[in-house]
């Protein structure tokens, strides 16, 4: 009886499965790719090719893993660059794939660098494949190569990471946390930016400083001062998908402040006696509002809340007095307002609302927005901006007054 | 058991009572020599059958023989209490001479007989052994049967001699009269001493079981840091005493069965009356009764035959070597089955969570116990999913691996000749071989095996570049995880399932793993252990039942203990039902009457085929 | 019907998983733009109203599945064809769901695996579970409802931690008024996924409590609607309205935005797991509904039709359409033209019949 039962149970379902199993095993593993059949791409540079048939010139920085952490490293370069061209991005990728021994795997692309030339021509065509392809990640960072071919940025040896792209990413993280005005700009941010009515994205700029000779070999690192350094600087301002120009200095900082992306940055002000004071603003909160009585003439209210600490005060100011600090914080807000005004001025110059004023209006006053949507550019160029700024100097760090006060 | 009694009945029917005893005759003959001969010939003249011929009685000498198997019987008991008392106390036994002293002794013995098992003087094992005979159904039956026969003993007109000897001469704790040949042979084979008397068709069976046994020692399989250190041994009587010593309650009930047509193994069924559900006990008894088997050498034989029939790698009956675990489970309303000849007792019903409990959980503080339990569940997950997740991550979803780690893995894999799947399979198989070798090895060599296996083989394989180091880590981790599960049989189940997941992962990545998980959980949900859903109290969810699953709440919070049976009784009716798995019609759910179900099943299959 | 009874908690979980099904990962209700989360909630209310009808029918016939009381109410000659049509509907829904699931899977990760293999594997697992019985299916759903919740919780916390959520993207609410929301509800949301509850009329006889049962299912619908709405809001607040609208599986890019110091990254595989679990349970419920219907209508053992039915589902799903776009287009057509007939019209007729019958046959008080 037991045997019969056994037979009966075997016969129905497991038998079916068992019959299928060898079938499945034999036909193979379709999506199965062994790790050592993959070429991991860490970064992609996108250049404009000379002709229509070679419209896109994609340079893939491929990690040579064995050189980075393997035991039998051959002492060759830790990354290799493959370049492919094509009418579309995908064709260029296919072209590059043909040169590599392994599958170009885009799952770990951390950086995309677009050349300035291509950016000025328009980037919307390259974005489609980036969001459509399931292998690429939306969290890849986008850069614009400032005034040079993008592939040069993929072929520069760096000091702090064997993979140049990682060096770039780390630099960005550092500057966005401290003393800089660049911030993480990911693929989907750019896509959203391109669709901003009357505006566009802003993208970090990157360039190499120094001589290009030998930048792609270890020679670059042999001296104490590397010949060629990857540097992140400036913001590329876009109108729709076309790059309009570069933001630097106050305008860049103000833009980032308006986007609320900056965590910590230094401010230097000049006091009445002509000396300089340095602050570290370690918290900055900017909120935008729109006061709309007449949609044709909206008023954008920029509310700024900042916290700062005095980092340097090489003069005889009495920092123990609240009044003095009050005065300083007013100067501080003045400085911030100056920066934001510079940002708005350059945005108006580029005729691009990458600052998101239109969005603010849309959020707070959707009906009014619909009326002005079509000619927002004109309104943006003329709309009034009001400031409501408040800065607090929380502390003066480890000393109160400078020793110079006792002179 | 069943078949044996059937045969017995047939034999009784076929042969009338007073036929002379041949080899297979049902009763003793009155020819003393012939009885001895046939006994010896039935055992094939085995040299360990010791026949001590003596003459008893004062003037009227009667030939008698004390027969036992050397080694099985307790020599001291045979010599002093059986043969000694036969020789010493039978002088004045014959009905003509009455003696005050003897009557006194006889009444004394009678008292002892009625309260068998309480005699504390004769060592630990003896009283328990005595209780075996007293409660064993066969003995009771035959005693009842034989009682009227003796009074009707023809031709004497007085109390028969065997009865007299039993009543007045034998200084042994437990002795009965027996005249059925089978029972006499069984008694000899169990280590009792049989006294045959010339001219009587009745033999006296003296309880002299003994011989060498392993003493109670620390269990070798389920170790604890803190907790009792005694473990079950191979003797069913000792095992019962170990439990009885922990539960001094009249509610603790014991039933005996003999299973195995050849081995005639004692199987004891223990439960707490009033705590364990009546239907459960009935069910267990019924299933035990249905066993037809030649041999029962280990509790595994019983386990396989009484568990709910389903194809599954999962154990549905718990086994333990620890008396404290058995006692605890008895108090929780479970049934314990003790099989003679093995230190592993069966505890049932056993749900999934039970296999993750250890006796130590209750010795440690509850928060620590919870942590230990969580670790066990985690290690079970690691065990079944570890290698397959690794495989799926590296060959399918490489984008999930952090870049730096990926570079590391990639450089490791650079010169490895095998695909990852083969690599995992190789290493897992190698590990299984190592484990199997380590388990079977004598303890002294076992050390060497683990050193050679783990250290030398592991490092060599990595250095030779055949296997990636990370693979060794993964396999070692699963290996260690499998040892973190307290129940060995659950760990084996996990190891088996791991291979299924490996295949799924190698073909379909996480898709395969997810579907595999769904099927696995569904499979576990379809399992029942004596009517209780295997995954309870998680599914069906019972909040009250959570007190002692992943959590182990402090004892003061556990409240009055409820047995699974009680909880089951409190559940609404639909929850007590089975899956209807064995029902061929639409998913009707049958009342959990497994015996009826099995019967019905058998019929169905017969009609099917 | 048989005496099999399924506990309320299990039914709740089964309902939730069924409702979440594919709906959790697709761009549900995006016709109403960034107010999709609202249209899901409104759709849920519509779905609940429809469900009231089903519940009414169930209360009147607590021991019968839909196909049985159809025949009782409409008579043998009209009722039987209608019942057969329903069985075909369930098989069709199961097949469509299977196709949905396997294609999405192919889009998301398994680019090269044949669709047929993916479907077969999924269907075989479903057949195995149903082979073990409807009760096993519902119990299994408890475990996986928990898994889905945990994944959801993990995803939400990680998104918050990686700072990808920007609630501004949800604003302004109701930019174009209520109309787009209502249009979206009318086009899609009352039917998908809430109208599909019609297949629960086949399983409701298994409910352990006639009184509480429908309430529990309604609670399940509401709970899953809240989850769906929350997920949609999450998608929009992470990706923005436009990207969500253009993604067939917006939850995947949403979750893939999780990046915690480059260690936890690209966890979108969890979304794939949710997708698999959802598709599996949804398909299994349709499958079970079809099987219960067949076994009830033709007085056939439940399990005998299991494998034939599985084959039918498999091939229906494979031959359904050549491409996913075609499949979706076809689905849209069915959603407008066919499903309302089954999910609204017929039940409405039945409700009226049942009410009339109850009115006349009930003993008049006083």
């Amino acid at each position: 009886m037991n045997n019969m039962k056994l037979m009966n149970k075997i016969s129905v379902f497991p038998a079916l499965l068992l019959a299928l199993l060898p079938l499945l095993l034999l036909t193979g593993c379709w999506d199965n790719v062994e790790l050592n059949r993959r070429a991991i791409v860490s970064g992609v540079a996108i250049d404009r090719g000379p002709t229509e048939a070679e419209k896109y010139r994609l340079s893939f920085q491929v990690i040579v893993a064995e050189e980075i952490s393997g035991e039998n490293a051959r002492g060759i370069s830790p990354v290799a660059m493959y370049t492919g061209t094509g009418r579309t991005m995908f064709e260029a990728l296919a072209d590059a794939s043909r040169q590599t021994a392994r599958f170009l795997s885009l799952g770990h692309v951390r950086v995309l660098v677009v050349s300035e030339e291509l950016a000025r021509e328009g980037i919307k065509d390259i974005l489609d494949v980036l969001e459509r392809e399931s292998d690429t990640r939306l969290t890849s960072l986008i850069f614009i190569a400032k005034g040079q071919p993008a592939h040069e940025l993929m072929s520069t040896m760096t000091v702090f990471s064997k993979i140049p792209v990682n060096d770039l990413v780390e630099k960005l993280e550092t500057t966005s946390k401290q003393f800089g005005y660049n911030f993480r700009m990911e693929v989907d941010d750019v896509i959203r930016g391109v669709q901003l009515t009357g505006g566009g994205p802003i993208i970090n700029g990157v360039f190499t400083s120094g001589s290009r000779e030998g930048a792609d070999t270890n020679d670059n690192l042999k001296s104490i001062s590397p010949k060629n350094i990857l540097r992140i600087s400036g913001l590329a301002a876009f109108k729709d998908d076309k790059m309009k120009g570069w933001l630097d200095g106050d305008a860049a900082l103000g833009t980032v402040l308006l986007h609320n992306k900056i965590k910590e940055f230094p401010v230097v002000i000049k006091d009445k006696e002509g000396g300089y004071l340095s602050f570290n603003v370690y918290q900055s909160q900017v909120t935008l509002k729109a006061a709309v009585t007449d949609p044709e003439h909206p008023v954008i209210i920029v509310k700024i809340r900042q916290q700062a600490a005095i980092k340097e005060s090489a003069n005889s100011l009495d920092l123990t007095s609240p009044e003095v600090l009050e005065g300083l914080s007013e100067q501080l807000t003045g400085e911030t307002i100056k920066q934001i005004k510079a940002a708005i001025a350059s945005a108006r110059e580029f005729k691009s609302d990458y600052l998101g004023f239109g969005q603010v209006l849309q959020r707070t006053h959707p009906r009014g927005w619909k009326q002005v949507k079509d000619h927002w550019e004109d309104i943006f160029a003329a709309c009034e901006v009001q400031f409501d700024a408040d800065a607090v100097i929380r502390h003066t760090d480890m000393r109160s007054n400078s020793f110079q006060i006792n002179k | 058991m069943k078949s044996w009694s059937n045969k017995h009945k047939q034999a009784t029917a076929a042969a009338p009572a007073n036929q002379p005893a041949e080899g297979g005759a049902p009763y003793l003959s009155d020819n003393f020599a012939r009885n001895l001969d046939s006994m010896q010939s039935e055992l094939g003249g085995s040299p360990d059958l010791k026949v001590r011929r003596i003459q008893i009685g004062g003037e009227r000498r009667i030939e008698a023989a004390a027969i036992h198997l050397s080694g099985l019987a307790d020599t001291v008991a045979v010599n002093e209490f059986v043969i000694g008392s036969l020789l010493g106390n039978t002088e004045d036994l014959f009905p003509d001479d009455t003696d005050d002293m003897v009557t006194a002794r006889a009444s004394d013995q009678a008292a002892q007989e009625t309260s068998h098992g309480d005699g504390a003087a004769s060592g630990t094992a003896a009283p328990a052994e005595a209780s075996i005979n007293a409660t064993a159904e066969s003995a009771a039956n035959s005693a009842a049967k034989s009682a009227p026969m003796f009074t009707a003993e023809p031709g004497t007109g007085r109390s028969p001699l065997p009865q007299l000897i039993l009543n007045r001469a034998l200084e042994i704790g437990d002795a009965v009269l027996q005249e059925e040949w089978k029972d006499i042979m069984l008694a000899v084979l169990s280590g009792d001493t049989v006294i045959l008397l010339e001219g009587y068709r009745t033999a006296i069976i003296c309880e002299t079981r003994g011989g060498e046994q392993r003493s109670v020692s620390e269990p070798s399989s389920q170790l604890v840091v803190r907790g009792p250190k005694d473990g079950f041994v191979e003797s069913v009587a000792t095992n019962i005493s170990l439990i009885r010593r922990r539960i001094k309650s009249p509610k603790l009930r014991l039933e005996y069965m003999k299973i195995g047509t050849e081995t005639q193994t004692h199987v004891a069924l223990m439960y707490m009356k009033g705590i364990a559900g009546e239907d459960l006990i009935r069910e267990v008894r019924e299933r035990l009764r249905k066993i037809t088997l030649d041999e029962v050498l280990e509790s595994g034989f019983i386990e396989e035959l009484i568990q709910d029939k389903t194809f599954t790698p999962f154990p549905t009956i718990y086994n333990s070597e620890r008396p404290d675990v058995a006692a605890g489970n008895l108090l929780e309303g479970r049934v314990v089955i003790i099989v003679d000849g093995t230190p592993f007792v069966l505890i049932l019903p056993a749900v999934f969570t039970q296999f993750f409990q250890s006796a130590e959980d209750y010795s440690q503080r509850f928060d620590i116990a919870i942590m230990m339990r969580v670790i066990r569940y985690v290690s079970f997950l690691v065990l079944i999913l570890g290698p397959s997740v690794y495989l799926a991550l590296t060959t399918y979803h490489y984008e999930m691996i952090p870049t730096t780690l990926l570079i590391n893995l990639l450089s490791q894999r650079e010169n490895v000749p095998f695909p990852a799947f083969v690599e995992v399979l190789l290493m897992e198989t190698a590990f299984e071989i190592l484990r199997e070798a380590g388990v079977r090895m004598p303890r002294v060599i076992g050390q060497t095996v683990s050193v050679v296996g783990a250290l030398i083989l592991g490092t060599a394989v990595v250095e030779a570049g055949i296997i990636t180091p990370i693979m060794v880590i993964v396999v070692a981790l699963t290996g260690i995880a499998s040892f973190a599960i307290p129940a060995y049989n659950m760990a084996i189940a996990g190891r088996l399932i791991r291979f299924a997941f490996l295949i799924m992962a190698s073909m379909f990545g996480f898709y395969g793993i997810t579907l595999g998980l769904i099927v696995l959980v569904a499979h576990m949900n379809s399992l029942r252990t004596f009517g209780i859903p295997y995954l309870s109290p998680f599914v069906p969810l019972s909040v009250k039942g959570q007190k002692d699953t992943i959590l182990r709440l402090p004892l003061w919070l556990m409240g009055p203990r409820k047995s699974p049976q009680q909880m089951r009784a409190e559940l609404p009716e639909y929850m007590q039902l089975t899956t209807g798995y064995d029902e061929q019609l639409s998913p009707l759910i049958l009342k959990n009457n497994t015996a009826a179900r099995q019967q019905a099943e058998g019929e169905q299959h017969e009609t099917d085929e | 019907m048989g005496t099999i009874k399924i506990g309320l908690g299990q039914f709740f979980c089964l309902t939730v998983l069924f409702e979440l099904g594919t709906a959790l990962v697709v761009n549900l209700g995006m016709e109403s733009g960034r107010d999709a989360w609202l249209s899901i909630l409104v759709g849920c209310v519509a779905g609940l109203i429809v469900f009231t009808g089903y519940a009414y029918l169930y209360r009147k016939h607590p021991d019968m599945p839909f196909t049985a009381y159809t025949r009782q109410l409409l008579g043998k000659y009209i009722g039987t064809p209608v019942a057969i049509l329903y069985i075909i509907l369930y098989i069709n829904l199961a097949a469509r769901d299977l196709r949905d699931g396997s294609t999405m899977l192919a889009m998301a990760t398994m680019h090269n695996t044949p669709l047929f293999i993916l479907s077969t594997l999924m269907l075989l697992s479903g057949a195995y579970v149903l082979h073990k019985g409807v009760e096993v299916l519902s119990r299994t759903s408890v475990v996986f409802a928990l898994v889905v919740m945990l994944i959801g919780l993990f995803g939400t916390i990680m998104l918050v931690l990686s700072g990808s959520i920007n609630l501004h993207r949800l604003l302004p609410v109701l930019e174009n008024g209520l109309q787009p929301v209502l249009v979206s509800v009318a086009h899609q949301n009352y039917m998908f996924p809430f109208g599909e509850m019609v297949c629960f009329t086949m399983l409701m006889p298994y409910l352990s409590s006639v009184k509480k049962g429908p309430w529990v299912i309604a609670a399940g619908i509401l709970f899953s609607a809240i989850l769906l709405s929350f997920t949609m809001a999450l998608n929009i607040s992470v990706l923005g309205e436009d990207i969500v609208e253009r993604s067939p599986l917006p939850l995947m890019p949403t979750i893939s935005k999780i990046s915690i110091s480059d260690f936890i990254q690209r966890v979108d595989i969890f979304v794939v797991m949710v997708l698999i679990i959802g598709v599996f349970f949804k398909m299994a419920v349709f499958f079970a509904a079809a099987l219960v219907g067949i076994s009830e209508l033709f007085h056939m053992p439940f399990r005998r039709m299991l494998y034939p039915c599985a084959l039918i589902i498999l091939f229906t799903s494979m031959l359904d359409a050549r491409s996913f776009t075609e499949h979706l287009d076809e689905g849209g057509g069915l959603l407008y033209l066919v499903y309302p007939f089954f999910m609204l019209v017929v039940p409405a007729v039945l409700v009226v019949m049942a009410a009339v019958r109850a009115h006349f046959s009930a003993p008049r008080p006083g």
Side-chain angles (χ1 to χ4, degrees), chain B residues 169-405:
Chain B
L170 280 175
E171 292 176 351
I172 194 116
D174 188 32
V176 288
L177 295 177
Q178 184 57 274
E179 55 188 37
E180 285 180 41
W181 185 253
K182 276 270 176 201
D183 291 347
I184 292 168
M185 284 313 293
L186 183 59
V188 171
L189 289 171
S190 318
D192 289 344
T193 304
V194 171
I195 303 171
L196 293 177
L197 297 166
E198 186 187 1
Y200 289 92
R201 261 191 243 127
T202 315
I204 305 169
I205 296 174
C206 306
E207 149 62 55
T208 56
R209 287 175 204 183
E212 291 305 311
Q213 273 178 8
R214 192 164 67 91
S215 60
V216 175
S217 59
E218 196 176 347
S220 57
S221 64
Q222 293 160 319
L223 298 176
V224 292
V225 175
R226 177 183 166 182
K229 300 276 186 191
D230 54 346
F232 284 127
V233 295
E234 281 75 8
S235 155
V236 66
T238 316
N239 291 350
I240 292 166
S241 72
L242 286 174
I243 293 177
R244 274 224 188 260
R245 225 175 278 165
R246 284 185 165 78
I247 307 174
K248 298 178 191 69
S249 159
K251 281 196 265 179
L252 180 61
R253 297 297 159 86
L254 176 66
E255 286 174 22
Y256 261 110
M257 288 183 186
K258 278 185 186 158
I259 300 179
T261 32
E262 297 301 326
T263 56
Q264 293 291 341
T265 313
H266 275 296
V267 173
L269 179 69
M270 284 185 108
Y271 56 89
M272 295 292 286
K273 180 102 181 153
I275 297 181
E278 287 298 324
D279 52 343
L280 173 69
I281 298 161
R282 214 177 307 124
E283 180 72 39
V284 175
R285 212 182 280 140
E286 191 58 39
R287 288 190 194 182
L288 282 176
R289 199 161 283 152
K290 283 195 168 167
I291 294 176
T292 46
L293 200 65
D294 283 347
E295 51 191 355
V296 177
L297 301 176
E298 215 279 324
S299 48
F301 290 67
I302 306 268
E303 177 177 350
E304 208 164 300
L305 290 172
I306 62 171
Q307 66 194 350
D308 295 51
K309 308 274 181 195
T310 324
F311 258 145
T312 177
F314 289 104
T316 53
I317 292 175
Y318 189 72
N319 65 60
S320 178
E321 213 182 343
R322 302 185 58 85
D324 53 330
V325 172
N329 279 298
L330 278 172
L331 290 169
E332 281 168 19
R334 296 197 183 84
V335 173
V336 170
I337 296 175
I338 309 170
V339 178
D340 201 18
T342 174
F344 289 93
V345 304
L346 301 179
I347 298 169
L348 51 94
V351 293
F352 183 67
T353 55
Q354 206 175 335
F355 293 90
F356 292 88
Q357 299 176 357
S358 154
E360 201 173 352
D361 295 351
Y362 306 95
S363 318
Q364 301 291 356
R365 300 181 53 83
F366 78 94
D367 37 5
I368 291 159
I370 290 174
M371 189 195 77
M372 294 195 300
R373 280 198 183 164
V374 168
I375 286 173
R376 285 178 212 144
Y377 285 100
V378 168
S379 58
F380 188 70
L381 274 183
V382 169
L383 170 61
I384 60 173
L385 292 181
S388 47
V389 165
Y390 169 76
L391 202 61
L393 276 183
T394 53
T395 57
Y396 283 88
H397 312 286
Y398 74 102
E399 71 272 9
M400 238 182 111
I401 308 172
T403 317
T404 340
L405 179 61

Side-chain angles (χ1 to χ4, degrees), chain C residues 17 27 31 63 100 116 119 156 177 204 220 245 251 259 266 347:
Chain C
L17 276 187
N27 50 359
E31 243 176 285
D63 295 329
D100 274 343
F116 183 74
S119 307
T156 314
M204 272 172 13
E245 205 175 328
L251 193 57
S259 170
R266 288 302 296 272

Side-chain angles (χ1 to χ4, degrees), chain C residues 157-210:
Chain C
I157 292 174
M158 287 299 149
L159 277 175
V160 171
L161 287 183
S162 47
S164 312
I165 297 180
N166 183 355
L167 290 179
H168 280 325
R169 290 178 191 139
L170 281 173
L171 296 173
V173 179
L174 292 180
E175 187 182 7
N176 299 316
L178 258 178
Q179 202 197 351
V181 172
L182 294 179
V183 167
S184 160
V185 169
H187 279 179
Q188 187 188 27
N189 292 118
Y190 78 103
M191 208 47 87
F192 176 80
F194 303 107
E196 290 176 337
M197 286 304 290
V198 71
C199 74
F200 269 66
T201 54
M202 302 300 291
L203 303 181
M204 272 172 13
Y206 296 126
L207 268 172
S208 63
S209 159
V210 179

Side-chain angles (χ1 to χ4, degrees), chain B residues 11-31:
Chain B
T12 343
N18 286 348
Q19 285 291 310
E22 277 306 319
Y27 293 104
L28 280 180
S29 97
D30 45 8
N31 187 331

Side-chain angles (χ1 to χ4, degrees), chain B residues 337-535:
Chain B
I337 296 175
I338 309 170
V339 178
D340 201 18
T342 174
F344 289 93
V345 304
L346 301 179
I347 298 169
L348 51 94
V351 293
F352 183 67
T353 55
Q354 206 175 335
F355 293 90
F356 292 88
Q357 299 176 357
S358 154
E360 201 173 352
D361 295 351
Y362 306 95
S363 318
Q364 301 291 356
R365 300 181 53 83
F366 78 94
D367 37 5
I368 291 159
I370 290 174
M371 189 195 77
M372 294 195 300
R373 280 198 183 164
V374 168
I375 286 173
R376 285 178 212 144
Y377 285 100
V378 168
S379 58
F380 188 70
L381 274 183
V382 169
L383 170 61
I384 60 173
L385 292 181
S388 47
V389 165
Y390 169 76
L391 202 61
L393 276 183
T394 53
T395 57
Y396 283 88
H397 312 286
Y398 74 102
E399 71 272 9
M400 238 182 111
I401 308 172
T403 317
T404 340
L405 179 61
L406 183 75
I407 293 168
N408 211 320
L409 296 182
L410 204 86
S411 67
Q412 287 182 18
R413 269 210 66 82
E414 205 58 58
N415 293 313
V416 173
F418 305 113
F421 175 62
V422 175
E423 206 185 1
V424 181
L425 217 56
L426 268 181
M427 276 316 274
E428 291 289 358
T429 316
F431 176 78
E432 290 297 306
I433 292 170
L434 263 178
R435 192 195 52 79
E436 192 64 20
V439 169
R440 309 279 166 249
M441 279 284 175
R443 213 163 283 166
V444 193
I445 315 175
Q447 294 276 333
T448 332
V449 169
S450 58
V451 169
V452 169
L455 297 176
I456 300 175
L457 193 65
T459 40
V461 128
V462 169
E463 271 174 18
I466 302 173
I467 303 287
T468 56
I470 185 83
M471 190 62 80
V472 176
I473 296 174
V474 169
V475 170
L477 194 66
T478 40
I480 293 165
S482 81
F483 297 129
I485 299 160
Y488 182 64
N489 41 4
M490 185 55 86
I492 300 176
R495 286 211 291 269
L496 194 66
I497 295 164
R498 177 184 58 180
F499 284 104
F501 273 101
L502 261 181
I503 293 173
M504 292 300 273
S506 78
M507 286 192 301
F508 300 104
F510 267 105
Y511 178 52
I513 292 178
T514 314
L515 278 186
L517 276 178
I518 293 177
V519 169
L520 178 70
V521 173
H523 172 75
M524 286 166 84
N525 268 321
S526 74
L527 287 183
R528 281 175 177 260
T529 160
F530 285 80
I532 296 177
Y534 195 53
L535 280 186

